């Protein structure tokens, strides 16, 4: 909310200064930076709404306010519709070109409607539109500045973080290769699921790549990194084993903070197990002693609080557990996915996430299809 208000006030003050200096330069103010930067951090709807509110406020300040408001709202609509992936440099240049063209065409049309002739068109106004278009290119460094000041994450930062050649992911691949491979599989599953329900696929992918970085501390205590038949947990009590497993979440948060990962990515590390139980060691402890406190075998949480974090929890559980399938068949995979996700729903893991039953069913379908592709299920032909 502070970020949105700051942007509105900044644009109003900048326009006021320009109007007081010389009203002829009012179109040099790159007002389309507002919907661009808001779309980069939030979504198109909020970007458009904030832009319209700002233009209505500026209507009280600028002369010939109807023409100004009309031009700026049209330009804002074009901005929202044309920019799809801001992290692609070509898209920004194309969008700025379209914005400038819309300003010129709209001004041309307005002058003909009002005056009935093209003789009153001022060529210097076209120059102000071009200058305003060039000033809009400043949105790239501005987004970077906003990220540092307000601690937010744009698609450009997510694209950088998704690079598997980054120092942190390289370290993960060296220290815990099994975990790294698991994270890549989860990232692919989560991205497909996010695309299916119109969630932020780029954010989910990055969250999935980093969600298990805490396993770098004790990699051999996790089955995916065990290369020999020796299990490190054989010499430990079930409670100690559970503590090491649960500890990878806390360790992951510490490593993420040390490496300056954004809070939105750290949220995935915190929530990917929610408040679920380390069931294997809990049952092992119950075999030895019936009086076992289940809270000792539970992850600290919190439970997922967005669509993206809920998707990661589902994909992580399904991918990890799928490794235990001996002879996977289509029916076995269907039942297996249903069982895992239904159990998470029964435990109330998705109560804080804005995800619907319909979306969960869509995610189940995607996971079933993807797992069948991974295991290359084929019909058996007669010999």
């Amino acid at each position: 909310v502070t970020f949105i208000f700051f942007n509105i006030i900044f644009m109003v003050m900048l326009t006021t200064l320009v109007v007081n200096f010389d009203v002829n330069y009012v179109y040099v103010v790159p007002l389309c930076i507002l919907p661009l930067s808001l779309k980069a951090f939030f979504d198109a709807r909020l970007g458009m709404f904030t832009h319209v509110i700002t233009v209505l406020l500026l209507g009280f300040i600028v002369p010939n306010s109807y023409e100004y408001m009309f031009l700026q709202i049209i330009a804002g609509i074009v901005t929202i519709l044309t920019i799809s992936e801001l992290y692609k440099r070509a898209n920004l240049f194309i969008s700025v070109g379209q914005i400038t063209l819309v300003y010129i065409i709209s001004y041309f049309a307005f002058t003909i409607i009002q005056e009935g002739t093209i003789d009153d068109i001022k060529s210097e106004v076209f120059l102000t539109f071009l200058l305003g278009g060039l000033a809009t290119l400043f949105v790239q460094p501005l987004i970077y500045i906003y990220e540092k000041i307000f601690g937010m994450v744009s698609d450009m930062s997510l694209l950088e973080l998704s690079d598997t050649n980054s120092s942190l992911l390289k370290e993960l691949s060296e220290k815990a290769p099994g975990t790294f491979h698991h994270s890549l599989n989860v990232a692919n599953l989560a991205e497909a699921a996010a695309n299916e329900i119109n969630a932020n696929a780029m954010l989910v992918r990055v969250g999935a790549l980093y969600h298990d970085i805490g396993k770098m501390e004790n990699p051999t205590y996790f089955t995916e990194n065990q290369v020999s038949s020796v299990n490190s947990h054989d010499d430990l009590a079930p409670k100690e084993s559970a503590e090491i497993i649960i500890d990878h979440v806390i360790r992951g948060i510490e490593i993420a903070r040390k490496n300056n990962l954004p809070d939105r990515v750290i949220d995935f590390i915190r929530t990917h197990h929610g408040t679920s139980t380390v069931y294997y060691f809990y049952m092992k402890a119950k075999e030895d002693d019936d009086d076992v406190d289940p809270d000792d075998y539970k992850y600290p949480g919190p439970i997922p609080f967005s669509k993206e974090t809920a998707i990661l929890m589902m994909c992580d559980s399904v991918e990890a557990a799928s490794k235990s399938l001996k002879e996977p068949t289509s029916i076995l995979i269907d039942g297996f996915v249903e069982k895992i996700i239904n159990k998470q729903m029964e435990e109330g893991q998705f109560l804080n996430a804005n995800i619907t039953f319909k979306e969960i069913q869509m995610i189940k379908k995607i996971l079933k299809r993807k797992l069948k592709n991974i295991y290359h299920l084929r019909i058996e032909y007669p010999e």
Side-chain angles (χ1 to χ4, degrees), residues 50-62:
T50 311
H51 180 72
V52 170
I53 291 291
T54 310
V55 171
L56 291 174
L57 288 171
L58 291 173
F60 293 106
I61 299 163
V62 298

Side-chain angles (χ1 to χ4, degrees), residues 43-329:
D43 59 11
R45 188 173 61 174
L46 182 66
M48 191 65 236
F49 177 77
T50 311
H51 180 72
V52 170
I53 291 291
T54 310
V55 171
L56 291 174
L57 288 171
L58 291 173
F60 293 106
I61 299 163
V62 298
N64 202 0
S65 58
Y66 177 78
E67 182 183 322
Y68 177 84
M69 286 161 63
F70 184 86
L71 285 176
Q72 296 292 11
I73 288 171
I74 292 293
I77 292 166
V78 170
T79 306
I80 290 294
L81 293 177
T82 55
I83 276 281
S84 54
E85 293 164 323
L86 194 60
Y87 55 86
K88 291 182 179 175
R89 287 170 296 178
N91 285 10
L92 181 62
F93 285 104
I94 292 163
S95 182
V96 166
Q98 288 170 326
I99 291 162
T100 309
L101 192 66
V102 162
Y103 273 129
I104 291 167
I105 292 168
S106 301
Y107 171 72
F108 188 80
F110 249 106
T111 308
I112 289 173
I113 290 165
Q114 288 176 331
E115 308 300 333
T117 174
I118 59 168
D119 297 335
D120 293 321
I121 289 175
K122 298 172 185 174
S123 57
E124 60 267 23
V125 176
F126 294 131
L127 184 63
T128 63
F129 291 144
L130 287 170
L131 289 171
L134 289 171
T136 308
L137 293 172
F138 187 67
V139 72
Q140 289 275 24
L142 193 66
I143 285 170
Y144 179 77
I145 293 163
Y146 282 154
E147 282 183 333
K148 298 302 172 192
I149 295 171
F150 294 96
M152 296 191 296
V153 192
S154 70
D155 282 352
M156 282 172 277
S157 288
L158 291 174
L159 191 68
E160 288 171 16
L161 288 167
S162 67
D163 182 10
T164 51
N165 288 315
S166 66
S167 57
L168 189 55
L169 290 178
K170 266 191 171 179
E171 190 184 349
L172 178 65
S173 68
E174 286 165 13
K175 289 184 178 177
T179 300
F180 178 69
H181 185 255
H182 157 73
S183 298
L184 285 175
N185 288 340
V186 173
N188 292 332
L189 289 173
E191 190 176 18
N195 283 325
E196 189 68 17
I197 65 165
N198 295 319
N200 190 333
M202 181 82 81
L203 180 63
V204 175
R205 182 171 184 82
V206 172
L209 288 172
Y210 290 92
H211 79 284
D212 269 344
I213 53 173
K215 290 181 180 179
M216 285 194 288
E217 295 281 313
N218 295 302
T220 55
Y221 285 94
F222 301 90
T223 51
E224 67 264 28
N225 298 311
Q226 291 168 1
V227 290
S228 64
S229 57
V230 178
N231 191 335
S232 305
H233 291 285
D234 292 342
D235 301 326
L236 300 174
K239 191 177 178 183
E240 288 176 309
S241 293
E243 281 172 4
I244 291 168
I245 299 292
I246 290 166
D247 211 35
H248 88 270
V249 173
I250 292 99
R251 292 277 171 271
I253 295 166
E254 288 171 2
I255 293 166
R257 292 205 189 282
K258 201 181 289 180
N259 286 272
N260 297 317
L261 287 186
D263 285 339
R264 284 185 81 188
V265 177
I266 295 172
D267 287 341
F268 287 91
I269 301 170
R270 291 165 59 219
T271 60
H272 75 276
H273 284 294
T275 54
S276 58
T277 306
V278 185
Y279 201 70
Y280 175 80
F281 291 111
Y282 174 61
M283 295 309 291
K284 202 174 176 185
K286 282 196 84 174
E287 287 173 14
D288 303 330
D289 182 12
D290 284 338
D291 190 26
V292 178
D293 185 1
D295 290 339
D296 292 337
Y297 296 85
K298 275 191 175 180
Y299 284 96
I303 58 174
F305 44 78
S306 67
K307 278 183 187 179
E308 289 78 16
T309 49
I311 288 168
L312 179 64
M313 176 183 260
M314 289 182 238
C315 296
D316 180 44
S317 303
V318 166
E319 204 285 330
S322 70
K323 297 288 188 286
S324 64
L325 295 173
K326 296 288 184 286
E327 293 178 6
T329 61

